[in-house]
mmCIF file of all heavy atoms in Angstrom:
data_model
loop_
_atom_site.group_PDB
_atom_site.id
_atom_site.type_symbol
_atom_site.label_atom_id
_atom_site.label_comp_id
_atom_site.label_asym_id
_atom_site.label_seq_id
_atom_site.Cartn_x
_atom_site.Cartn_y
_atom_site.Cartn_z
ATOM 1 N N ARG C 23 29.387 110.658 69.706
ATOM 2 C CA ARG C 23 30.231 109.519 70.061
ATOM 3 C C ARG C 23 31.138 109.117 68.901
ATOM 4 O O ARG C 23 32.297 108.752 69.118
ATOM 5 C CB ARG C 23 29.356 108.364 70.543
ATOM 6 C CG ARG C 23 28.629 108.733 71.848
ATOM 7 C CD ARG C 23 27.944 107.562 72.488
ATOM 8 N NE ARG C 23 26.784 107.068 71.801
ATOM 9 C CZ ARG C 23 25.532 107.361 72.121
ATOM 10 N NH1 ARG C 23 25.266 108.185 73.128
ATOM 11 N NH2 ARG C 23 24.534 106.831 71.446
ATOM 12 N N ARG C 24 30.630 109.204 67.671
ATOM 13 C CA ARG C 24 31.499 108.912 66.525
ATOM 14 C C ARG C 24 32.635 109.924 66.443
ATOM 15 O O ARG C 24 33.774 109.567 66.133
ATOM 16 C CB ARG C 24 30.697 108.911 65.216
ATOM 17 C CG ARG C 24 29.811 107.691 65.068
ATOM 18 C CD ARG C 24 29.253 107.559 63.662
ATOM 19 N NE ARG C 24 28.579 108.740 63.169
ATOM 20 C CZ ARG C 24 27.284 108.997 63.317
ATOM 21 N NH1 ARG C 24 26.511 108.158 63.970
ATOM 22 N NH2 ARG C 24 26.757 110.092 62.805
ATOM 23 N N ALA C 25 32.351 111.181 66.736
ATOM 24 C CA ALA C 25 33.394 112.213 66.724
ATOM 25 C C ALA C 25 34.441 111.934 67.800
ATOM 26 O O ALA C 25 35.643 112.121 67.569
ATOM 27 C CB ALA C 25 32.779 113.601 66.905
ATOM 28 N N VAL C 26 34.015 111.484 68.951
ATOM 29 C CA VAL C 26 34.954 111.145 70.030
ATOM 30 C C VAL C 26 35.854 109.991 69.581
ATOM 31 O O VAL C 26 37.079 110.051 69.753
ATOM 32 C CB VAL C 26 34.212 110.793 71.341
ATOM 33 C CG1 VAL C 26 35.158 110.182 72.365
ATOM 34 C CG2 VAL C 26 33.524 112.028 71.904
ATOM 35 N N ILE C 27 35.255 108.973 68.983
ATOM 36 C CA ILE C 27 36.053 107.840 68.491
ATOM 37 C C ILE C 27 37.048 108.322 67.438
ATOM 38 O O ILE C 27 38.226 107.950 67.467
ATOM 39 C CB ILE C 27 35.150 106.723 67.925
ATOM 40 C CG1 ILE C 27 34.344 106.064 69.039
ATOM 41 C CG2 ILE C 27 35.957 105.689 67.149
ATOM 42 C CD1 ILE C 27 35.158 105.273 70.047
ATOM 43 N N SER C 28 36.596 109.158 66.523
ATOM 44 C CA SER C 28 37.502 109.685 65.486
ATOM 45 C C SER C 28 38.675 110.412 66.112
ATOM 46 O O SER C 28 39.824 110.240 65.697
ATOM 47 C CB SER C 28 36.756 110.627 64.542
ATOM 48 O OG SER C 28 35.835 109.910 63.784
ATOM 49 N N ARG C 29 38.403 111.218 67.113
ATOM 50 C CA ARG C 29 39.480 111.952 67.783
ATOM 51 C C ARG C 29 40.437 111.003 68.485
ATOM 52 O O ARG C 29 41.652 111.170 68.435
ATOM 53 C CB ARG C 29 38.883 112.960 68.765
ATOM 54 C CG ARG C 29 39.820 113.558 69.789
ATOM 55 C CD ARG C 29 41.078 114.197 69.160
ATOM 56 N NE ARG C 29 42.047 114.519 70.172
ATOM 57 C CZ ARG C 29 42.962 113.678 70.671
ATOM 58 N NH1 ARG C 29 43.043 112.427 70.253
ATOM 59 N NH2 ARG C 29 43.809 114.084 71.586
ATOM 60 N N LEU C 30 39.899 109.989 69.140
ATOM 61 C CA LEU C 30 40.741 109.054 69.885
ATOM 62 C C LEU C 30 41.550 108.138 68.977
ATOM 63 O O LEU C 30 42.506 107.508 69.437
ATOM 64 C CB LEU C 30 39.894 108.218 70.849
ATOM 65 C CG LEU C 30 39.313 108.979 72.040
ATOM 66 C CD1 LEU C 30 38.381 108.084 72.832
ATOM 67 C CD2 LEU C 30 40.426 109.545 72.915
ATOM 68 N N MET C 31 41.212 108.070 67.712
ATOM 69 C CA MET C 31 41.990 107.254 66.780
ATOM 70 C C MET C 31 43.403 107.818 66.618
ATOM 71 O O MET C 31 44.329 107.086 66.297
ATOM 72 C CB MET C 31 41.299 107.168 65.417
ATOM 73 C CG MET C 31 39.986 106.406 65.444
ATOM 74 S SD MET C 31 40.157 104.684 65.912
ATOM 75 C CE MET C 31 40.916 104.048 64.441
ATOM 76 N N THR C 32 43.577 109.106 66.850
ATOM 77 C CA THR C 32 44.903 109.707 66.708
ATOM 78 C C THR C 32 45.761 109.480 67.946
ATOM 79 O O THR C 32 46.960 109.243 67.815
ATOM 80 C CB THR C 32 44.813 111.213 66.411
ATOM 81 O OG1 THR C 32 44.131 111.862 67.479
ATOM 82 C CG2 THR C 32 44.106 111.470 65.097
ATOM 83 N N SER C 33 45.149 109.570 69.139
ATOM 84 C CA SER C 33 45.885 109.350 70.387
ATOM 85 C C SER C 33 44.911 109.408 71.559
ATOM 86 O O SER C 33 43.824 109.980 71.446
ATOM 87 C CB SER C 33 46.973 110.415 70.571
ATOM 88 O OG SER C 33 46.381 111.680 70.764
ATOM 89 N N PRO C 34 45.296 108.838 72.704
ATOM 90 C CA PRO C 34 44.470 108.977 73.909
ATOM 91 C C PRO C 34 44.324 110.456 74.263
ATOM 92 O O PRO C 34 45.169 111.276 73.887
ATOM 93 C CB PRO C 34 45.277 108.237 74.982
ATOM 94 C CG PRO C 34 46.172 107.317 74.228
ATOM 95 C CD PRO C 34 46.483 108.016 72.937
ATOM 96 N N ALA C 35 43.260 110.792 74.988
ATOM 97 C CA ALA C 35 43.025 112.196 75.346
ATOM 98 C C ALA C 35 42.273 112.287 76.666
ATOM 99 O O ALA C 35 41.455 111.424 76.989
ATOM 100 C CB ALA C 35 42.229 112.889 74.244
ATOM 101 N N PRO C 36 42.529 113.372 77.400
ATOM 102 C CA PRO C 36 41.777 113.592 78.635
ATOM 103 C C PRO C 36 40.342 114.018 78.319
ATOM 104 O O PRO C 36 40.068 114.603 77.270
ATOM 105 C CB PRO C 36 42.543 114.704 79.337
ATOM 106 C CG PRO C 36 43.392 115.340 78.296
ATOM 107 C CD PRO C 36 43.583 114.358 77.204
ATOM 108 N N VAL C 37 39.443 113.722 79.235
ATOM 109 C CA VAL C 37 38.019 114.040 79.064
ATOM 110 C C VAL C 37 37.828 115.511 78.744
ATOM 111 O O VAL C 37 37.061 115.862 77.842
ATOM 112 C CB VAL C 37 37.221 113.634 80.316
ATOM 113 C CG1 VAL C 37 35.802 114.174 80.268
ATOM 114 C CG2 VAL C 37 37.222 112.119 80.472
ATOM 115 N N LYS C 38 38.503 116.385 79.464
ATOM 116 C CA LYS C 38 38.326 117.827 79.257
ATOM 117 C C LYS C 38 38.641 118.220 77.812
ATOM 118 O O LYS C 38 37.920 119.002 77.201
ATOM 119 C CB LYS C 38 39.222 118.604 80.233
ATOM 120 C CG LYS C 38 38.975 120.086 80.225
ATOM 121 C CD LYS C 38 39.786 120.774 81.311
ATOM 122 C CE LYS C 38 39.518 122.261 81.290
ATOM 123 N NZ LYS C 38 40.226 122.952 82.347
ATOM 124 N N GLU C 39 39.708 117.653 77.249
ATOM 125 C CA GLU C 39 40.073 117.946 75.864
ATOM 126 C C GLU C 39 39.026 117.386 74.898
ATOM 127 O O GLU C 39 38.668 118.034 73.914
ATOM 128 C CB GLU C 39 41.440 117.341 75.551
ATOM 129 C CG GLU C 39 41.891 117.545 74.115
ATOM 130 C CD GLU C 39 43.193 116.832 73.816
ATOM 131 O OE1 GLU C 39 44.100 116.834 74.687
ATOM 132 O OE2 GLU C 39 43.305 116.256 72.715
ATOM 133 N N LEU C 40 38.532 116.184 75.176
ATOM 134 C CA LEU C 40 37.522 115.578 74.309
ATOM 135 C C LEU C 40 36.220 116.366 74.314
ATOM 136 O O LEU C 40 35.555 116.493 73.291
ATOM 137 C CB LEU C 40 37.239 114.131 74.743
ATOM 138 C CG LEU C 40 38.338 113.116 74.500
ATOM 139 C CD1 LEU C 40 37.985 111.794 75.166
ATOM 140 C CD2 LEU C 40 38.580 112.922 73.010
ATOM 141 N N ALA C 41 35.871 116.899 75.472
ATOM 142 C CA ALA C 41 34.602 117.620 75.617
ATOM 143 C C ALA C 41 34.641 119.019 75.006
ATOM 144 O O ALA C 41 33.592 119.560 74.624
ATOM 145 C CB ALA C 41 34.232 117.722 77.094
ATOM 146 N N ALA C 42 35.814 119.608 74.884
ATOM 147 C CA ALA C 42 35.939 121.013 74.465
ATOM 148 C C ALA C 42 35.190 121.373 73.175
ATOM 149 O O ALA C 42 34.535 122.419 73.128
ATOM 150 C CB ALA C 42 37.416 121.397 74.349
ATOM 151 N N PRO C 43 35.230 120.568 72.115
ATOM 152 C CA PRO C 43 34.581 120.994 70.871
ATOM 153 C C PRO C 43 33.050 120.911 70.871
ATOM 154 O O PRO C 43 32.413 121.373 69.932
ATOM 155 C CB PRO C 43 35.136 120.039 69.808
ATOM 156 C CG PRO C 43 36.106 119.151 70.463
ATOM 157 C CD PRO C 43 36.034 119.370 71.933
ATOM 158 N N PHE C 44 32.463 120.337 71.911
ATOM 159 C CA PHE C 44 31.025 120.100 71.903
ATOM 160 C C PHE C 44 30.274 121.141 72.727
ATOM 161 O O PHE C 44 30.689 121.493 73.824
ATOM 162 C CB PHE C 44 30.717 118.689 72.410
ATOM 163 C CG PHE C 44 31.364 117.632 71.564
ATOM 164 C CD1 PHE C 44 32.535 117.024 71.985
ATOM 165 C CD2 PHE C 44 30.826 117.279 70.340
ATOM 166 C CE1 PHE C 44 33.156 116.056 71.204
ATOM 167 C CE2 PHE C 44 31.440 116.324 69.549
ATOM 168 C CZ PHE C 44 32.601 115.719 69.978
ATOM 169 N N ALA C 45 29.154 121.583 72.200
ATOM 170 C CA ALA C 45 28.323 122.588 72.867
ATOM 171 C C ALA C 45 27.342 121.884 73.808
ATOM 172 O O ALA C 45 26.138 121.852 73.573
ATOM 173 C CB ALA C 45 27.576 123.416 71.839
ATOM 174 N N MET C 46 27.887 121.290 74.866
ATOM 175 C CA MET C 46 27.056 120.640 75.873
ATOM 176 C C MET C 46 27.802 120.681 77.198
ATOM 177 O O MET C 46 29.025 120.843 77.217
ATOM 178 C CB MET C 46 26.713 119.198 75.479
ATOM 179 C CG MET C 46 27.890 118.247 75.449
ATOM 180 S SD MET C 46 27.437 116.553 74.997
ATOM 181 C CE MET C 46 27.201 116.710 73.241
ATOM 182 N N GLY C 47 27.060 120.540 78.253
ATOM 183 C CA GLY C 47 27.678 120.514 79.570
ATOM 184 C C GLY C 47 28.466 119.230 79.793
ATOM 185 O O GLY C 47 28.238 118.215 79.135
ATOM 186 N N LEU C 48 29.374 119.279 80.737
ATOM 187 C CA LEU C 48 30.197 118.120 81.037
ATOM 188 C C LEU C 48 29.365 116.904 81.468
ATOM 189 O O LEU C 48 29.648 115.790 81.020
ATOM 190 C CB LEU C 48 31.259 118.461 82.088
ATOM 191 C CG LEU C 48 32.325 117.394 82.313
ATOM 192 C CD1 LEU C 48 33.061 117.051 81.012
ATOM 193 C CD2 LEU C 48 33.298 117.839 83.379
ATOM 194 N N PRO C 49 28.314 117.071 82.280
ATOM 195 C CA PRO C 49 27.511 115.896 82.648
ATOM 196 C C PRO C 49 26.910 115.183 81.422
ATOM 197 O O PRO C 49 26.908 113.958 81.354
ATOM 198 C CB PRO C 49 26.420 116.456 83.557
ATOM 199 C CG PRO C 49 27.042 117.677 84.156
ATOM 200 C CD PRO C 49 27.894 118.258 83.045
ATOM 201 N N ALA C 50 26.429 115.948 80.458
ATOM 202 C CA ALA C 50 25.877 115.345 79.238
ATOM 203 C C ALA C 50 26.973 114.650 78.447
ATOM 204 O O ALA C 50 26.773 113.540 77.921
ATOM 205 C CB ALA C 50 25.197 116.406 78.375
#
C-alpha cells in the first residue's frame, strides 16, 4: 500500500497499471 501511494504521488493511475509491478493476483 505504501508503494501504491508512492506511485500515485506522481499522477493518478488505472488499477491495472498500479497492479502490474506486484506479484499477486488482481483480487488480492
